[in-house]
Amino acid sequence: MECRVTSLLRDKGFKVTPQRLAIYDVLAKTKAHPSAEMIFNELQPLYPTMSLATVYKTIEILKELKLIQVLNVGEDSFRYDAKTDNHPHINCCKCGKVEDILGIDATDFIDTIASQTSYRLTGQQFYFYGVCSECQKTEKLPQ
Amino acid sequence: MECRVTSLLRDKGFKVTPQRLAIYDVLAKTKAHPSAEMIFNELQPLYPTMSLATVYKTIEILKELKLIQVLNVGEDSFRYDAKTDNHPHINCCKCGKVEDILGIDATDFIDTIASQTSYRLTGQQFYFYGVCSECQKTEKLPQ
DNA sequence: CTATATGCAAATATTTTGCACTGCT
DNA sequence: AGCAGTGCAAAATATTTGCATATAG
């Protein structure tokens, strides 16, 4: 049994390489929404010869195959998420982590927007900002 | 009568310079949500000696004074908005323009999120993506 | 007059590209 | 074997920084 990534790559005429699978795996197995650099660093021990360029080129393909989605919470770099359903994200302003918000039904909100705009909607991205529970604790410690 | 920007700058110990006022004015008078480069280009005719560095430095101050908000719809650069109330934005995937969505009350949606997260919320940003009405027309023309 | 701001140029950071070599299929 | 993919280095793009000069207060 072939996994989804393997068959999708092959179907679209892309070659299945260890690098591509490894990059997708990093994204599939983390909830940290890593940037290209973070993916690169994560893979260094296992693939010491892998280049950042390969990470970027692979991300491009994974995006095209809709295997990942792109996030931009307002940092200078992009982050990537292998969960491709369109859920909101929340970003801690103190530690910078980005987490999924799952189990939200935004249908009503989206419908309201759809009915008020002349655009044909194709998607949306909801970002929330705040302080995570860990950072809230730290905040309250003296100094 | 002094305008808000002038007095706010002065109050916080920043000097009031023609450059700073001009940059804020560009943002206050447009609905295009320009990037730093777009602001710079807009000001070229009037302030031919202004440098991009000044645009970036001024944006930093305006952000600090909460006179502008920062947007990132997923481009490689940031955009800025002098409307600082937290309204959704919509981005046309064809022509790239970014427009305000006004008159939406997202309180219920935000409250739902607030009640489901352990974060102390400080803000949010809603981006919608689609095809604007102008681009929809163009789309349908033969070729 | 003094301290801050500007403008230039150089530095930094992120992402993209060109090309010789490698390795899937 | 053939062609797409990788890795390196260089380029492109966006943003930041250092510093000499200009200017607001």
Side-chain angles (χ1 to χ4, degrees):
Chain A
M1 185 199 90
E2 254 186 354
C3 74
R4 201 157 93 84
V5 198
T6 304
S7 46
L8 247 176
L9 282 170
R10 221 188 299 274
D11 284 0
K12 301 284 178 173
F14 296 107
K15 288 190 177 168
V16 179
T17 68
Q19 288 92 333
R20 286 174 181 171
L21 297 178
I23 290 165
Y24 179 78
D25 272 7
V26 169
L27 285 169
K29 287 180 180 148
T30 183
K31 292 182 176 175
H33 310 86
S35 64
E37 187 105 36
M38 290 158 85
I39 297 171
F40 174 73
N41 290 333
E42 174 109 16
L43 290 172
Q44 271 311 95
L46 268 128
Y47 295 82
T49 73
M50 183 179 303
S51 99
L52 244 183
T54 299
V55 175
Y56 280 109
K57 286 168 185 167
T58 299
I59 284 170
E60 215 43 50
I61 294 172
L62 296 176
K63 252 164 48 179
E64 193 181 326
L65 301 187
K66 303 216 193 306
L67 284 165
I68 60 173
Q69 67 170 312
V70 183
L71 305 181
N72 195 310
V73 294
E75 298 164 316
D76 41 10
S77 58
F78 291 96
R79 286 168 172 259
Y80 305 94
D81 191 345
K83 289 180 81 68
T84 52
D85 68 303
N86 202 253
H87 53 281
H89 290 89
I90 190 161
N91 178 18
C92 177
C93 307
K94 300 279 175 185
C95 65
K97 79 177 162 199
V98 175
E99 294 188 285
D100 297 308
I101 301 181
L102 300 176
I104 295 291
D105 182 11
T107 315
D108 288 351
F109 182 55
I110 295 170
D111 286 350
T112 307
I113 302 286
S115 68
Q116 301 212 9
T117 182
S118 59
Y119 282 58
R120 173 163 47 77
L121 289 187
T122 56
Q124 67 284 327
Q125 212 50 267
F126 302 142
Y127 297 110
F128 289 85
Y129 300 92
V131 183
C132 71
S133 44
E134 286 77 38
C135 289
Q136 284 179 49
K137 286 174 205 154
T138 317
E139 253 177 353
K140 283 165 190 159
L141 294 179
Q143 228 295 352
Chain B
M1 182 199 93
E2 253 186 352
C3 76
R4 202 157 93 84
V5 198
T6 304
S7 47
L8 247 176
L9 281 170
R10 223 187 298 275
D11 285 0
K12 301 282 178 175
F14 295 107
K15 289 188 175 169
V16 179
T17 68
Q19 288 91 332
R20 285 173 182 171
L21 296 178
I23 290 164
Y24 179 77
D25 272 7
V26 169
L27 285 170
K29 287 179 181 148
T30 183
K31 292 181 175 174
H33 310 87
S35 64
E37 186 105 36
M38 290 158 84
I39 298 171
F40 174 73
N41 290 333
E42 175 108 14
L43 290 173
Q44 270 312 95
L46 268 130
Y47 296 83
T49 72
M50 183 178 305
S51 98
L52 244 183
T54 300
V55 176
Y56 280 111
K57 286 168 184 166
T58 298
I59 284 170
E60 215 45 49
I61 293 171
L62 296 176
K63 251 164 47 178
E64 194 181 324
L65 302 186
K66 303 216 193 305
L67 284 165
I68 60 172
Q69 68 170 311
V70 183
L71 305 181
N72 195 310
V73 295
E75 297 164 317
D76 41 9
S77 57
F78 291 96
R79 286 167 171 260
Y80 306 94
D81 191 346
K83 290 179 81 67
T84 52
D85 68 301
N86 203 253
H87 52 281
H89 290 89
I90 189 161
N91 177 18
C92 177
C93 307
K94 301 278 175 185
C95 65
K97 81 177 161 201
V98 175
E99 295 189 286
D100 296 308
I101 300 181
L102 300 175
I104 295 292
D105 181 12
T107 315
D108 288 352
F109 182 56
I110 295 170
D111 286 349
T112 308
I113 302 286
S115 68
Q116 299 211 9
T117 182
S118 58
Y119 282 59
R120 173 163 47 77
L121 289 188
T122 55
Q124 66 284 328
Q125 209 55 264
F126 302 143
Y127 297 112
F128 289 84
Y129 300 93
V131 182
C132 72
S133 44
E134 287 76 39
C135 288
Q136 283 178 50
K137 287 172 206 155
T138 317
E139 251 177 354
K140 283 163 189 160
L141 295 178
Q143 235 302 340

